[in-house]
Amino acid sequence: MSGELSPIDKAKFVAAKRAVDFVEDGMRVGLGTGSTAAWMVRCLGELVREEGLQIKGVPTSNRTAELAADVGIEVISLDEAKWLDLTIDGADEFDSDLNLIKGGGGALLQEKIVATASDQMIVIADSAKEVAQLGAFPLPVEVIPFGWQTSKALLEETLINLDVLGSDSTLRMNGDAPFVTDEGNYIIDLHLTRIGNARQTALVLNQIPGVVENGLFIDICDIVVVGHGDGRVEVRDINAGTLEEDKIDFLESENLFSDF
C-alpha cells in the first residue's frame, strides 16, 4: 500500500513515525493538527492498540480530537492535563533556528497554547518546509470577528514599519463565508514574502487590538524531525546541537495504510 503514497506523503509519514519514538509510557502528549500531524496520531494509535502504550493526548483542534479518539488514544483537555511532557506537531515553515510559521490548518491558537504548555515541542515536517528565511508561506493572524476589517487595516499599516517584504493581507475564506476557527474567530493571512525579524514581528502584531494570536512560533520548538520521500529521516535537536540520521522501512508499517 505504501507504493500508492506520493513522495511528500511518504516524507510526512516517516517523520511522524520517527517522532513517536520520543513518546514514553505514561506521558501526557500534545497532539498537533494538519496532514503530517494526522500521520503522527495514527502512529501513536497503533502503539496504543498493538503495544499497550498508555498515554493521554491533548488535541489542538476538534478534528485532531476526533481522530485521536478513533484510533484509541485517551483524550483529555489541557485543563485536565495542566502540563504536558511533549507536543508533536507539524509546521508550514521552519528555519535553521527552528522558528516556525504555523496555522495553515487554522488551529494556530490552540497549537501555540499547547506547545508552550509542554516540556518539549517536536516538529515533524517534510524537507520542503525548511527555508532560509521565514515568510514565503502566508503568516496567519487570528482575529476576533468584531471589527475584523479594522484589524486588517491596522495589520497592513503596521507591516509598513516592519522588516518584511510585503504588506498584503487576505481574509481566509471557507467557500463563500469566512473561515471560522474552533474558537469562533477569523484568520487574516499576511503575504509577507520575507520576514527579516520574526521575533519583532510576532511581538508587534500581537499588540494590535482585535488580534488574538499570530502564527510565528519563536523559541518554542526544540526538535525538528525532517522526513524524505525515500524513507530517510533527520532529527535536529536545537538545544543539544545534534543531527541524527535514520531510515524508516515502509514494510514494517503497512497496516497503517489500511485505511487509505
Side-chain angles (χ1 to χ4, degrees):
M1 293 295 292
S2 61
E4 298 178 11
L5 294 176
S6 69
I8 290 293
D9 281 333
K10 289 180 181 179
K12 292 177 178 181
F13 166 71
V14 296
K17 184 71 172 176
R18 177 63 179 85
V20 299
D21 289 344
F22 289 93
V23 179
E24 299 176 3
D25 209 50
M27 278 188 169
R28 294 159 296 178
V29 183
L31 307 175
T33 294
S35 58
T36 312
W39 283 115
M40 176 270 300
V41 174
R42 290 181 179 276
C43 288
L44 281 177
E46 182 185 41
L47 294 176
V48 168
R49 296 189 308 272
E50 299 188 6
E51 299 186 18
L53 179 70
Q54 295 186 4
I55 60 171
K56 295 182 179 181
V58 174
T60 54
S61 66
N62 293 337
R63 58 186 181 276
T64 295
E66 292 173 2
L67 176 59
D70 286 345
V71 299
I73 298 173
E74 180 182 354
V75 174
I76 63 173
S77 70
L78 183 57
D79 288 334
E80 291 174 294
K82 296 183 173 61
W83 195 259
L84 305 177
D85 296 289
L86 61 86
T87 287
I88 306 177
D89 204 348
D92 298 302
E93 284 186 348
F94 69 92
D95 65 14
S96 59
D97 294 321
L98 305 195
N99 293 318
L100 321 169
I101 286 182
K102 288 180 53 56
L108 67 99
L109 178 57
Q110 288 191 22
E111 288 173 337
K112 188 174 282 191
I113 292 171
V114 168
T116 53
S118 305
D119 288 335
Q120 190 175 54
M121 182 191 188
I122 299 172
V123 161
I124 48 179
D126 60 86
S127 57
K129 301 297 192 300
E130 183 173 7
V131 296
Q133 195 165 38
L134 299 176
F137 191 90
L139 175 63
V141 178
E142 187 159 340
V143 300
I144 65 170
F146 175 81
W148 71 265
Q149 294 188 55
T150 299
S151 298
K152 181 175 181 292
L154 288 171
L155 283 166
E156 292 177 348
E157 182 180 346
T158 300
L159 291 174
I160 296 173
N161 298 314
L162 293 176
D163 185 11
V164 297
L165 195 58
S167 59
D168 291 336
S169 67
T170 55
L171 178 69
R172 188 177 298 185
M173 303 296 290
N174 182 15
D176 295 330
F179 174 87
V180 179
T181 69
D182 285 350
E183 292 77 32
N185 297 319
Y186 292 169
I187 287 181
I188 296 175
D189 289 309
L190 307 182
H191 305 274
L192 307 180
T193 306
R194 179 190 60 80
I195 302 174
N197 189 330
R199 186 183 308 277
Q200 178 194 45
T201 300
L203 291 172
V204 171
L205 294 180
N206 278 5
Q207 301 305 309
I208 297 174
V211 169
V212 180
E213 189 52 83
N214 69 82
L216 284 167
F217 284 51
I218 310 298
D219 296 334
I220 296 176
C221 176
D222 299 288
I223 295 173
V224 62
V225 182
V226 184
H228 298 266
D230 60 0
R232 289 180 299 115
V233 180
E234 300 173 9
V235 181
R236 306 177 195 177
D237 188 322
I238 191 71
N239 299 312
T242 57
L243 170 62
E244 299 178 7
E245 295 186 356
D246 200 355
K247 190 162 186 177
I248 304 296
D249 186 355
F250 289 102
L251 296 178
E252 294 178 355
S253 305
E254 283 188 346
N255 53 335
L256 267 179
F257 303 107
S258 60
D259 295 334
F260 291 85

